Amino acid sequence: MSASLPTPRDTEAKLQHILLHSAQIFAKQGFERTSIRDISKATGVSLSGLYYYFSSKQKLLYLIQINAFTSVLESAHAKLSGVEDAQRRLRILVGNHVEYFLTHPNEMKVLSHEEDALEEPYRREVAAIKRRYYELAREIFEGVMAESGSGEGLNARVAVLSLFGMMNWIYKWHNPRVDPNAAELAETIVVIFLNGVLGETSDGKLMSAGKEKAIRLD
Amino acid sequence: MSASLPTPRDTEAKLQHILLHSAQIFAKQGFERTSIRDISKATGVSLSGLYYYFSSKQKLLYLIQINAFTSVLESAHAKLSGVEDAQRRLRILVGNHVEYFLTHPNEMKVLSHEEDALEEPYRREVAAIKRRYYELAREIFEGVMAESGSGEGLNARVAVLSLFGMMNWIYKWHNPRVDPNAAELAETIVVIFLNGVLGETSDGKLMSAGKEKAIRLD
């Protein structure tokens, strides 16, 4: 049986191959409906070959989720390294996020739709890396606000999670035939967001979101 | 068997009861994993009683989705009636949307996660009402931009769908113990969005998103 096991040399590449195709099939037919046999078929890896990488469907779902967050977080850190300007840091964060998930729509869908399918202790570990990613975004956001001196009273959690909302909803509507590419999309989102949390409009009708008490819903 | 059928008087109330509890169980365990027996148990309505309202699980999923969009769209239209100020119309749209989905998190989850589970011809019908809702938002957005005279070159589709992103992501993170209520949340989103699409920041660093050519991702 050892002949069917991957050699150490290609282990990481093969794992990435499995994660990619598993995310695809989970995105298509859902985690619950997908059997290990389906995964074997989709990846072209035998059942014993798959077993080398994960011992259960739960573990596989965990690996897909952890792998996606690790990739996004690591590439964000790499691109942010040495960059101090707060607005530029925000641009990098958004650009990195939009680029990753626009090229990984299946992973985005699995992260969003199968969040609750994950059981402990995997669930806790995924929650922890998500938390680290949120905290990076929050820290960058606080940097932007501190640099501009505005945004007092703005609910930072709501602002940051609204930014994630703009980015994480893209997989629902992006159509590459009519919509902008990742860089343009990220730029539009950054501008809306930065104007949004820092700005006052030229007609003076709106205040900063931080002064939300000044305007109320009708 | 006719004794177990609902009387005409309470038909609509009973349907709403079924839709509410079905959305709850679909949100909890997913559409695929839920049987008609589970739905009977969750709603307290007999199988033959359920059959009076829908002939298949597909039809039920369709009814949940159509009902949610119809509710949101009708209440938006009712609140918008007679209101002409463009920014006030946007506030009403966002307030209505956030309020509905904050009080209907199960429906939000079913709309988002079970979109692909729906088959034709139901799928097409749900897509059509969604389109009408998007078009209402788009028309309100265009009104805001026309009134302010700004936003030339801003990608209206990306802007409107980013607004939906901020609103539709709320179900993922809103924690009633620490987060603002619907009205405050809606107001923060409106302010970020309106500043975002109309504004220039006080430090002059950012331009309107419409002038996106002026600034680029690094």
Side-chain angles (χ1 to χ4, degrees), chain B residues 78-94:
Chain B
K79 291 174 192 167
L80 287 165
S81 169
V83 179
E84 290 190 7
D85 178 77
Q87 292 193 5
R88 205 172 146 219
R89 287 175 65 81
L90 187 79
R91 286 206 145 73
I92 289 171
L93 182 86
V94 174

Side-chain angles (χ1 to χ4, degrees), chain A residues 77 80 86 89 132-145 160:
Chain A
H77 277 302
L80 286 165
R89 288 174 65 81
R132 279 171 54 209
Y133 189 46
Y134 166 78
E135 275 163 6
L136 173 66
R138 174 88 182 237
E139 176 203 304
I140 289 173
F141 170 77
E142 308 273 11
V144 167
M145 301 317 280
V160 171

